[in-house]
Amino acid sequence: MTDTTNRYLSANYAPVAEELTTFDLAVTGNVPAALSGRYLRNGPNPQSAVDPTTYHWFTGDAMVHGIRLRNGRAEWYRNRWVRSSGVAAALGEPDIPGETHGGMDTANTNVIGHAGTTLAIVEAGARPVELSYELDTVCRTDLGGTLPNGFTAHPKRDPESGELFAAAYHWAFPHVQYIVIGADGRVRKLEPITVPGGPMMHDMSITATRSVLYDLPVTFNLEAAATSNFPYSWNPEYGARIGVLPREGGDADVRWFEIEPCYVFHPLNAYDDGDRVVLEVVRHPRMFDHDRHGPNDGAPSLWRWTVDLGAGVVKEEQLDDRPIEFPRVDERVVGRAHRFGWAASLSAGDDVGFDGSDVVKYDHVTGTTQVHEMGRGRSTGEAVFVPADDGAAEDDGWVMSMVYDADTDRSDLVILSAADITAEPVATIHLPARVPYGFHGNWVPDGQ
Ligand SMILES: [Fe+2]
């Protein structure tokens, strides 16, 4: 299904039509023997025809791609639609077990391993969908009856406790839900947090002691559905606020701080600095304003917001003017001061997008950046850092990402040395098909 009138249905945004299973993938270079697990990545991949005039990239049926690595080999590649009722029906299969929630049924944004379970996850009210190790859909899940509503695509895992912290929203709720999931995979805390409207709250942050909510001016707007199938749009009158609360706090504990209107899908990281909270975020100047089919309203870049809890003010500073998205840190420093950050550079100009994107490494100690240029016709997406071992230094390990090659119309999983990303890849794992540009991925070591 390709349609050039909607960018998100054309070239490498267009969906693939087949589910594949391929064993013993060809590799250029050497897969590090220490890597034993799966690299998984989720993204939209409409299974049935959609209307190109209204199709919004965020609403496509979900497809998860996975590569299983072990003993220095790329054992398999699989891609599977995450079943919803609609996808199952279109494929002639019985409906999947588990109740839907809030009219939402498309878990297309992230895929994680938690408490031994693989979960495809999304914001806006849908249930997580449990997948098997081989990426077959098992069921929608309410986490053993502990999750009353929907979830988010962006839980933050505390590296010490292994708990997941999350902010979830649904258009019909007068609040957002602050959720903590234990290392056992069950919700142990859920607090409604009052917000003045219906914000699209894509992500959140944690520090070692606090949680941070981003209440920004993309809000529910039924009229938006007239021009796309996505009912959220830019609403600068809403204002923009950062909410800071103790990690074990609730609605009454939140302190709100006004900032300049903008939109943030993804923080890079956050950490405590005494009476200040340091937030590094990818800031978009606006969102879902002129382009109603995807995130394309000006170039996003890396900013630092320093929330001074004593003075009650936020210092906003741009760290780099390079267009980037999909920021990541070493999962072991989530909520703690980090030295390195990883991101995908984006094409600038009239349309912000993945074509020509490279992997960017930020070093906050030296103040420098390094770029791994993918080469002509090659484009990457989110880059995920994997440490060489549990005690490895912050850039001792690998960075992996999907790379699309327009010449071959196929994709590779590329593994770079994190300490020197400008070097030739450690391994390039050749996939049997292309992987459409999508959203988020993770390295899921066996057992996670
Ligand atoms: Fe995201």
Side-chain angles (χ1 to χ4, degrees):
M1 183 197 318
T2 293
D3 187 300
T4 57
T5 64
N6 184 322
R7 170 161 78 139
Y8 300 100
L9 295 169
S10 66
N12 196 43
Y13 288 93
V16 293
E18 288 185 296
E19 295 182 327
L20 301 175
T21 303
T22 306
F23 298 99
D24 290 323
L25 305 169
V27 178
T28 302
N30 294 292
V31 175
L35 292 173
S36 186
R38 298 166 298 163
Y39 173 78
L40 305 178
R41 209 222 61 194
N42 203 347
N45 196 95
Q47 198 278 331
S48 305
V50 295
D51 181 350
T53 62
T54 59
Y55 176 67
H56 190 289
W57 193 36
F58 286 14
T59 64
D61 298 321
M63 178 174 276
V64 170
H65 303 257
I67 295 99
R68 197 271 201 261
L69 307 180
R70 186 170 63 163
N71 296 333
R73 292 171 50 230
E75 289 192 334
W76 53 251
Y77 164 79
R78 285 177 161 88
N79 65 313
R80 297 290 183 270
W81 274 288
V82 178
R83 270 53 174 177
S84 60
S85 293
V87 169
L91 293 171
E93 300 173 357
D95 200 0
I96 67 170
E99 293 182 354
T100 58
H101 173 263
M104 306 297 292
D105 193 23
T106 302
N108 69 5
T109 306
N110 202 350
V111 54
I112 62 172
H114 187 66
T117 301
T118 303
L119 298 172
I121 50 179
V122 69
E123 66 203 77
R127 298 281 195 208
V129 175
E130 182 178 335
L131 306 180
S132 72
Y133 191 89
E134 283 81 23
L135 309 182
D136 295 318
T137 297
V138 176
C139 62
R140 300 182 192 93
T141 177
D142 60 5
L143 306 180
T146 65
L147 181 71
N149 306 113
F151 195 50
T152 174
H154 285 290
K156 291 286 170 289
R157 178 181 279 115
D158 182 86
E160 291 180 18
S161 69
E163 293 186 319
L164 301 181
F165 294 76
Y169 69 93
H170 183 258
W171 63 269
F173 292 168
H175 54 258
V176 297
Q177 293 179 333
Y178 173 54
I179 298 172
V180 184
I181 296 176
D184 62 357
R186 299 170 65 85
V187 175
R188 73 157 177 83
K189 178 181 176 70
L190 191 155
E191 300 280 343
I193 304 289
T194 305
V195 289
M200 178 186 174
M201 197 173 283
H202 185 73
D203 204 337
M204 56 90 73
S205 293
I206 59 170
T207 72
T209 65
R210 302 175 177 109
S211 290
V212 180
L213 304 177
Y214 301 97
D215 187 21
L216 303 175
V218 170
T219 60
F220 182 73
N221 169 12
L222 206 51
E223 290 178 20
T227 50
S228 87
N229 60 1
F230 182 76
Y232 285 85
S233 65
W234 181 240
N235 177 15
E237 291 76 29
Y238 184 73
R241 307 182 303 162
I242 297 167
V244 180
L245 71 158
R247 288 208 329 200
E248 293 306 320
D251 199 15
D253 304 307
V254 184
R255 290 185 62 192
W256 293 103
F257 300 87
E258 299 283 330
I259 56 170
E260 287 296 312
C262 63
Y263 196 71
V264 168
F265 288 107
H266 306 121
L268 171 67
N269 198 18
Y271 55 92
D272 294 322
D273 180 15
D275 206 24
R276 291 187 289 267
V277 180
V278 180
L279 311 170
E280 291 188 9
V281 303
V282 175
R283 179 189 189 274
H284 293 248
R286 10 178 239 295
M287 186 48 57
F288 303 136
D289 185 7
H290 88 272
D291 192 325
R292 308 301 289 278
H293 299 278
N296 182 30
D297 274 284
S301 60
L302 187 64
W303 284 60
R304 179 180 292 147
W305 292 339
T306 305
V307 182
D308 187 325
L309 297 169
V313 296
V314 181
K315 179 182 178 186
E316 304 180 46
E317 53 187 328
Q318 187 178 28
L319 297 182
D320 187 34
D321 61 5
R322 178 193 318 265
I324 59 158
E325 247 297 356
F326 296 92
R328 296 290 295 257
V329 291
D330 180 342
E331 290 291 305
R332 299 170 303 167
V333 298
V334 167
R336 280 68 173 169
H338 58 278
R339 174 172 176 178
F340 300 108
W342 313 91
S345 66
L346 298 182
S347 54
D350 291 340
D351 286 315
V352 177
F354 281 118
D355 288 337
S357 61
D358 295 318
V359 173
V360 181
K361 175 184 182 181
Y362 289 96
D363 182 337
H364 284 340
V365 169
T366 62
T368 58
T369 56
Q370 281 188 322
V371 177
H372 183 89
E373 296 182 0
M374 292 297 162
R376 188 181 64 85
R378 290 170 67 83
S379 307
T380 191
E382 185 177 57
V384 175
F385 173 78
V386 184
D389 57 64
D390 290 346
E394 200 185 315
D395 72 344
D396 179 7
W398 304 280
V399 173
M400 54 177 71
S401 66
M402 293 289 195
V403 176
Y404 171 66
D405 189 316
D407 289 341
T408 62
D409 199 31
R410 289 191 182 187
S411 295
D412 299 319
L413 177 64
V414 171
I415 302 175
L416 306 176
S417 166
D420 183 10
I421 66 164
T422 61
E424 287 293 305
V426 171
T428 300
I429 300 166
H430 303 288
L431 307 183
R434 67 182 178 86
V435 174
Y437 297 141
F439 300 138
H440 300 286
N442 289 286
W443 172 249
V444 182
D446 285 343
Q448 185 175 83

